[in-house]
Amino acid sequence: ICIATEESSVTTGEEEENSISPSLIQFAAVMMMQLYLGSLIILFILYRSCSRKRTDAFRLVFMYLIGTIGFALSLNFGPSSGGFTKLLGWGVMIHNMAEWFIISRLWFGEKLINAIPAMCYLITFVIIITLCPLAPLWFIGMFQGAFCDYLLVYSAIFMIRWTDQQTKLGNIKSRRKYMCAGFGGAMIHIISIQPLFLGMATAYSPLAYLTTLFILPTFVCYTYW
């Protein structure tokens, strides 16, 4: 009788888990579908707009969106129960490496040095992901991810002030609306990563997947940037 009771309780627990799992899978599929389809449209626009002779803003945003899709894939193909894994660590690395290319380009321009920060970041983070235990890796990944995002916000603010100054000097035409679009995209991204971090920290997948709704508005603003 005891054995039968234990088996029935185990069976009941499995049935409850299976009853929850399909709804989560469906919700994740809807979130990923809107992200991938929307990203394909934005990628096509960026590809058609970018210069073939030099690395312009459209190409940098194209790379940034590819890196963001890489993170979404690591989230999508991770464990269904959510939480932070080393696979997500690789996704964070890919996303932020593309972000470093934009930041370095803003601060260093078209010089050869603009790829050095991203390359140093890549090598360092590969070593950390490979050797670091999961718990400290989460703190490292979230700290450096937030650092990149806030640095991009600061860079967007700096670009607004710098272009306004150059406009007053008569060196360029006003680009304030474009710079404000970039700032808006950076702010949307900052707001969206807060529930994403919470969803990964608490292993609550619906919250993590819900934040993917903010990715497309972010890159619409970046495309206008």
Side-chain angles (χ1 to χ4, degrees):
I1 296 175
C2 292
I3 295 176
T5 304
E6 290 176 358
E7 290 179 351
S8 62
S9 64
V10 171
T11 304
T12 303
E14 291 178 351
E15 290 176 353
E16 291 178 354
E17 183 180 357
N18 292 334
S19 64
I20 298 174
S21 180
S23 61
L24 176 59
I25 293 175
Q26 183 178 7
F27 178 75
V30 172
M31 292 297 100
M32 292 298 104
M33 187 178 299
Q34 60 86 23
L35 172 61
Y36 296 145
L37 291 178
S39 297
L40 285 175
I41 296 174
I42 297 177
L43 286 173
F44 176 76
I45 295 173
L46 292 170
Y47 175 77
R48 295 289 297 173
S49 302
C50 69
S51 173
R52 297 186 179 183
K53 297 182 179 180
R54 62 187 182 90
T55 303
D56 57 2
F58 293 113
R59 183 171 298 185
L60 289 171
V61 175
F62 182 92
M63 294 169 58
Y64 189 19
L65 182 52
I66 290 292
T68 303
I69 293 174
F71 172 77
L73 288 172
S74 68
L75 180 67
N76 195 200
F77 291 104
S80 59
S81 58
F84 185 76
T85 63
K86 288 204 171 186
L87 179 62
L88 276 174
W90 288 104
V92 170
M93 182 199 71
I94 294 172
H95 169 77
N96 289 127
M97 185 176 67
E99 201 166 22
W100 272 116
F101 277 114
I102 293 181
I103 294 171
S104 60
R105 180 61 179 271
L106 289 175
W107 290 99
F108 298 110
E110 297 184 356
K111 299 178 182 179
L112 293 177
I113 197 175
N114 65 351
I116 292 179
M119 292 298 100
C120 292
Y121 168 81
L122 173 62
I123 296 172
T124 303
F125 212 68
V126 165
I127 296 174
I128 292 175
I129 293 176
T130 305
L131 302 179
C132 189
L134 194 59
L137 179 62
W138 184 87
F139 287 100
I140 294 173
M142 297 306 102
F143 174 79
Q144 64 83 34
F147 175 78
C148 289
D149 294 330
Y150 279 100
L151 183 58
L152 189 57
V153 171
Y154 173 76
S155 301
I157 295 174
F158 174 81
M159 291 300 297
I160 292 175
R161 294 176 178 176
W162 183 82
T163 52
D164 285 347
Q165 182 181 10
Q166 295 299 312
T167 301
K168 292 179 181 179
L169 294 175
N171 296 331
I172 61 173
K173 294 182 180 180
S174 177
R175 298 187 58 83
R176 185 176 181 84
K177 61 181 179 180
Y178 304 111
M179 297 299 106
C180 288
F183 173 73
M187 286 301 301
I188 294 173
H189 188 51
I190 281 291
I191 295 172
S192 65
I193 65 171
Q194 311 307 323
L196 174 63
F197 288 172
L198 180 60
M200 290 192 295
T202 58
Y204 187 60
S205 294
L207 182 60
Y209 283 118
L210 187 62
T211 59
T212 60
L213 288 172
F214 294 92
I215 294 178
L216 294 182
T218 297
F219 281 93
V220 168
C221 291
Y222 282 151
T223 302
Y224 195 66
W225 192 14

